[in-house]
Amino acid sequence: MANRLPPLSLYIHTPWCVRKCPYCDFNSHEPDNRELPEAAYLAALLSDLDGDLALASGRTLQTIFIGGGTPSLLSPTFYRQLFDGIRERLSFSPTIEITLEANPGTTEQQRFIGYREAGINRLSLGVQSFRPTQLSALGRIHTGNEAVTAIGEARAAGFDNLNIDLMHGLPQQTPEQAMEDIDQALALDPEHLSWYQLTLEPNTAFFSHPPPLPEEEALWDIQEAGHQRLEQAGLKRYEISAYARPGLQSHHNLNYWRFGDYLGIGAGAHGKLSYIDFQGKWQIERRWKTRQPDAYLRRANDPRGFVAGQQLIEPNELPLEFAMNALRLTEGVPLADWTAHTGQPQARLLARLQSAQEKGLLVEMPEKLRASPQGLLFLNELLALISEE
């Protein structure tokens, strides 16, 4: 059965951070104590994984992504022991990509060396900006110089696959300042750059008290100029907000957008799993884990396990679920994938594509479903046209 299932990844969530940023809507919490409960969290993560193992269906892990919060608050020893425990339960691909998100304000070279020795082979550094005024407005704990130093230390530790997270549309940011951030990032020669616009999400401090953001016209100018600057530097846009050198795209994120499967362990982690039920029916299930760190740790001894909720994706929901992931990719997806993942015949889809093409939201390509540059900008409108009944 494993041969019929999508590729499998693993997402691991670290719920702690030094300070909650005002724009952040992720499941992150400032710890009550300076010392994190590493041993207890390690045991809980492996117990959490045990509860999901049946849904792995014997598949090999292709990627692991450790997000947060601030995963670099946890020690290299923690990750070495964690990977040892995962290997006892699941096989790793010989080419497995293991990514750790790191905050430039919580790392130093010896720690990077330890992460590399533990098996982490890709870093994602949350720089966001190099300018002091923007970093202060965003509530970041590092300076621009510390970000540059951290990247140099990561290189010295042996990391040759590095992502820089950079934001634009920041409080009172001008197009010139946004381009200065890009130029500073490019000077550090990253293999991958995630470049995305600041949005005001519900349940954040910025949503309750919005900062002064650039006008719409300035945002368009930033986006157009930044895209050109990155492409000219040899970083090809392969997803709405992701640019990479050839062959160095994030394989973990590609698995998301191609509608692959992923286990999710850790406080608040989400997973998406495909399986065949006892009646022989194909099912796709989303499940999520207990959010609060203390409550999550208590679940380690709870017979109910760590799952806070789960939901089957109904057949009529599959077109939107698939399209909202696949259409983020600039190269698009084969039309054959539509039938494979949604169960709907291509003829039903093709009847909807003409309107999207007439509006300039789709590239007219035989046997491929691909958003145009305009479609990437107006993805919600494109999704509505493709997934409507």
Side-chain angles (χ1 to χ4, degrees):
M1 186 178 75
N3 292 333
R4 297 181 55 193
L5 294 170
L8 183 68
S9 294
L10 172 64
Y11 174 75
I12 302 167
H13 192 75
T14 304
W16 297 286
C17 59
V18 174
R19 184 171 65 202
K20 182 80 170 180
C21 296
Y23 62 86
C24 177
D25 68 336
F26 296 141
N27 184 38
S28 58
H29 307 265
E30 297 176 19
D32 295 331
N33 303 305
R34 291 183 62 86
E35 189 171 343
L36 297 179
E38 287 198 357
Y41 200 58
L42 173 65
L45 285 172
L46 294 176
S47 179
D48 188 354
L49 180 58
D50 285 337
D52 284 353
L53 278 182
L55 294 173
S57 303
R59 283 172 286 177
T60 295
L61 281 180
Q62 304 298 319
T63 68
I64 297 175
F65 193 100
I66 306 148
T70 306
S72 53
L73 288 176
L74 296 169
S75 70
T77 299
F78 170 87
Y79 288 112
R80 177 177 55 78
Q81 294 174 341
L82 176 60
F83 298 149
D84 286 346
I86 296 171
R87 281 192 186 91
E88 292 173 359
R89 294 160 170 82
L90 291 166
S91 59
F92 284 22
S93 165
T95 58
I96 191 168
E97 174 194 271
I98 304 179
T99 302
L100 177 82
E101 287 187 336
N103 186 319
T106 64
T107 50
E108 38 77 32
Q109 187 167 345
Q110 204 58 39
R111 207 168 178 88
F112 282 132
I113 291 172
Y115 291 145
R116 192 74 184 89
E117 291 175 344
I120 293 162
N121 54 26
R122 184 175 182 272
L123 281 181
S124 180
L125 285 161
V127 173
Q128 315 310 0
S129 176
F130 293 93
R131 297 180 58 84
T133 52
Q134 261 83 48
L135 287 169
S136 176
L138 293 174
R140 304 297 288 172
I141 65 171
H142 67 273
T143 66
N145 287 337
E146 286 173 334
V148 174
T149 298
I151 291 168
E153 291 174 339
R155 293 298 196 196
F159 282 98
D160 57 4
N161 193 357
L162 190 146
N163 170 63
I164 293 177
D165 251 8
L166 206 61
M167 299 174 72
H168 63 89
L170 305 180
Q172 298 181 322
Q173 185 183 51
T174 65
E176 292 74 22
Q177 291 170 344
M179 293 308 101
E180 287 174 9
D181 269 345
I182 286 182
D183 288 340
Q184 177 67 81
L186 290 174
L188 298 166
D189 199 24
E191 286 72 30
H192 189 287
L193 197 143
S194 297
W195 188 62
Y196 49 94
Q197 183 178 324
L198 170 66
T199 55
L200 306 186
E201 302 292 345
N203 302 315
T204 65
F206 271 3
F207 190 82
S208 302
H209 304 284
L213 298 179
E215 297 293 332
E216 193 71 27
E217 185 175 347
L219 291 174
W220 283 108
D221 290 343
I222 289 171
Q223 194 164 72
E224 183 175 352
H227 173 67
Q228 291 179 359
R229 191 77 56 93
L230 292 167
E231 292 269 352
Q232 289 168 357
L235 289 168
K236 181 175 175 55
R237 187 187 194 190
Y238 71 96
E239 187 264 337
I240 285 180
S241 58
Y243 299 74
R245 302 207 180 279
L248 291 169
Q249 299 92 337
S250 166
H251 295 295
H252 186 87
N253 286 342
L254 282 174
N255 192 44
Y256 286 155
W257 310 140
R258 290 170 176 164
F259 217 49
D261 278 358
Y262 51 97
L263 300 164
I265 61 172
H270 285 237
K272 175 231 167 208
L273 287 312
S274 307
Y275 60 92
I276 297 174
D277 66 16
F278 65 93
Q279 296 179 325
K281 184 179 179 182
W282 186 268
Q283 301 283 12
I284 300 177
E285 177 187 291
R286 295 197 182 277
R287 54 170 54 192
W288 51 97
K289 307 299 174 60
T290 301
R291 284 178 58 86
Q292 292 294 326
D294 290 343
Y296 179 85
L297 289 172
R298 289 194 298 270
R299 285 291 188 104
N301 299 312
D302 191 326
R304 294 173 297 175
F306 297 88
V307 178
Q310 54 200 111
Q311 183 177 21
L312 292 177
I313 301 176
E314 298 298 331
N316 65 327
E317 298 171 333
L318 281 172
L320 179 59
E321 287 271 351
F322 175 71
M324 68 190 299
N325 286 283
L327 285 172
R328 292 180 65 96
L329 294 171
T330 58
E331 67 176 11
V333 293
L335 281 178
D337 287 1
W338 174 268
T339 299
H341 288 290
T342 69
Q344 291 191 2
Q346 287 186 25
R348 188 171 180 184
L349 170 65
L350 293 172
R352 306 171 190 165
L353 297 187
Q354 186 174 355
S355 176
Q357 288 175 350
E358 290 172 354
K359 292 176 181 289
L361 302 178
L362 277 181
V363 175
E364 191 170 350
M365 292 180 63
E367 300 181 351
K368 206 158 194 183
L369 181 64
R370 179 185 174 194
S372 67
Q374 185 82 349
L376 291 172
L377 289 173
F378 297 97
L379 189 58
N380 287 340
E381 182 180 350
L382 175 56
L383 291 172
L385 288 172
I386 288 179
S387 61
E388 68 185 4
E389 289 300 319

